[in-house]
Amino acid sequence: MANKKDSISSSVGLFGDIGIEGIVERSEAIEVPEGDTLARILAELKSESHICGVCKPGMPVIFGMGPERADLMLIGEGPGVDDIKTELPFQGQAGALLAKMMAAINVGLGECYVCNVIKCIPPGERNFSVEEIEDCRPYLLRQILAVRPRVIVAFGALAAQTLLRSRKTISELRGEVYTLRLNDHEMKIVPTFNPAYLLRVPEKKREAWEDLKRVREMREV
Ligand code: URA
C-alpha cells in the first residue's frame, strides 16, 4: 500500500496517480521567468506569440482577480458567458454562490485571489481538450507562484485534476487535503465541488460545507 508521505514527481506524465489510496503529496518543478509577475503572465497570454489552440490574440482573457499576494487562492474550471463582459472570473450566479460559500467561513472574496484553469471561452462553448488544458496549465502554475497562497481551494474536477495531476473524479478527490510543492513554495490543496455544479445539484452542498470547514480550520492555524 502506498505511503501517505510518498511524493510524486512531475515525470509521471500528463496524469499522475495522486489520490490513489493514501497518496496526498506531490512535488513539481516548473520554469518561471526571473522576476515573474501577474502582469507579465497576463501580457504573455494576450500576446501574438502565445500559442494555444483556443485563445487567440484579441480574444477576452479572463485572467483573475484579487490581491497580487493572497493567503487563499480560489481556482475554478473556466469562465462562463457571464464573465466575458467584465473579463473577471465567477461573475453571475456561480460567483454569487461562491461569495456566499466563502462568507460562511468568514472569508471575503476580496481577500482571495480568484482565477480559473482555463482563461478564455472556446467558440461554441465546447469543452476543452486535454492539449488545450495543458497549454493553459503553465500559466496557472506561474500565477500560483506569483500569488504564493498558503491554501488553494480547487473548485471542480478540472481544477483539482489539473493541479494534482489526477484522473480521479471530484467526488473521489474531495474530502482530503493535499500538499503541493511547486518549486520553492508549498501549499495545501482542498478540492471541492464547483459552485456552478452546486447550483445544479444542491444536495452536494453538505459535502462542500465539510470541505470549507477544513479551509476555515487551516486558516485558524
Ligand atoms: N465561473 C468561473 O469563472 N469559473 C467556474 O469554474 C465557474 C463559473
Side-chain angles (χ1 to χ4, degrees):
M1 190 169 111
N3 179 326
K4 267 231 167 221
K5 295 280 174 208
D6 274 357
S7 82
I8 301 170
S9 85
S10 55
S11 62
V12 289
L14 186 54
F15 294 100
D17 41 11
I18 203 161
I20 65 170
E21 201 178 348
I23 296 188
V24 294
E25 292 193 14
R26 140 165 246 282
S27 299
E28 182 166 351
I30 61 157
E31 266 183 50
V32 176
E34 223 180 295
D36 206 16
T37 61
L38 290 173
R40 178 178 175 161
I41 303 164
L42 176 59
E44 279 184 36
L45 272 167
K46 288 189 160 184
S47 78
E48 299 280 340
S49 58
H50 169 64
I51 302 163
C52 158
V54 178
C55 186
K56 303 277 183 291
M59 271 177 79
V61 175
I62 293 94
F63 182 64
M65 63 182 183
E68 303 229 326
R69 286 284 175 111
D71 201 45
L72 187 55
M73 189 159 172
L74 313 180
I75 302 182
E77 300 186 296
V81 281
D82 291 331
D83 311 326
I84 298 179
K85 216 187 286 168
T86 55
E87 293 195 16
L88 294 172
F90 282 105
Q91 305 300 295
Q93 283 184 25
L97 179 55
L98 178 67
K100 261 171 89 174
M101 290 164 73
M102 300 318 293
I105 55 165
N106 302 319
V107 174
L109 265 196
E111 58 186 286
C112 310
Y113 187 83
V114 185
C115 68
N116 285 304
V117 174
I118 300 293
K119 316 291 189 208
C120 64
I121 299 183
E125 290 179 63
R126 62 169 171 75
N127 285 336
F128 286 89
S129 68
V130 169
E131 290 74 21
E132 288 160 354
I133 295 162
E134 281 302 295
D135 282 340
C136 258
R137 189 173 186 272
Y139 296 96
L140 173 67
L141 299 187
R142 283 171 59 191
Q143 261 177 308
I144 292 170
L145 282 176
V147 174
R148 301 187 86 73
R150 210 161 53 87
V151 178
I152 292 178
V153 188
F155 287 98
L158 179 59
Q161 291 169 346
T162 302
L163 289 172
L164 299 173
R165 286 287 201 217
S166 175
R167 279 183 194 278
K168 292 222 157 204
T169 64
I170 189 64
S171 293
E172 290 166 329
L173 286 171
R174 64 150 296 280
E176 182 66 87
V177 176
Y178 301 83
T179 300
L180 176 63
R181 271 183 299 276
L182 199 54
N183 293 2
D184 66 338
H185 185 66
E186 182 174 302
M187 70 218 94
K188 299 292 179 196
I189 310 282
V190 182
T192 194
F193 296 109
N194 191 291
Y197 174 74
L198 292 174
L199 288 171
R200 298 193 303 275
V201 191
E203 56 272 24
K204 292 286 179 188
K205 282 185 183 169
R206 200 178 44 79
E207 285 164 80
W209 174 236
E210 294 303 317
D211 301 327
L212 291 178
K213 281 197 293 193
R214 290 188 125 149
V215 176
R216 182 172 64 188
E217 278 161 26
M218 279 186 281
R219 283 173 55 85
E220 283 165 358
V221 177

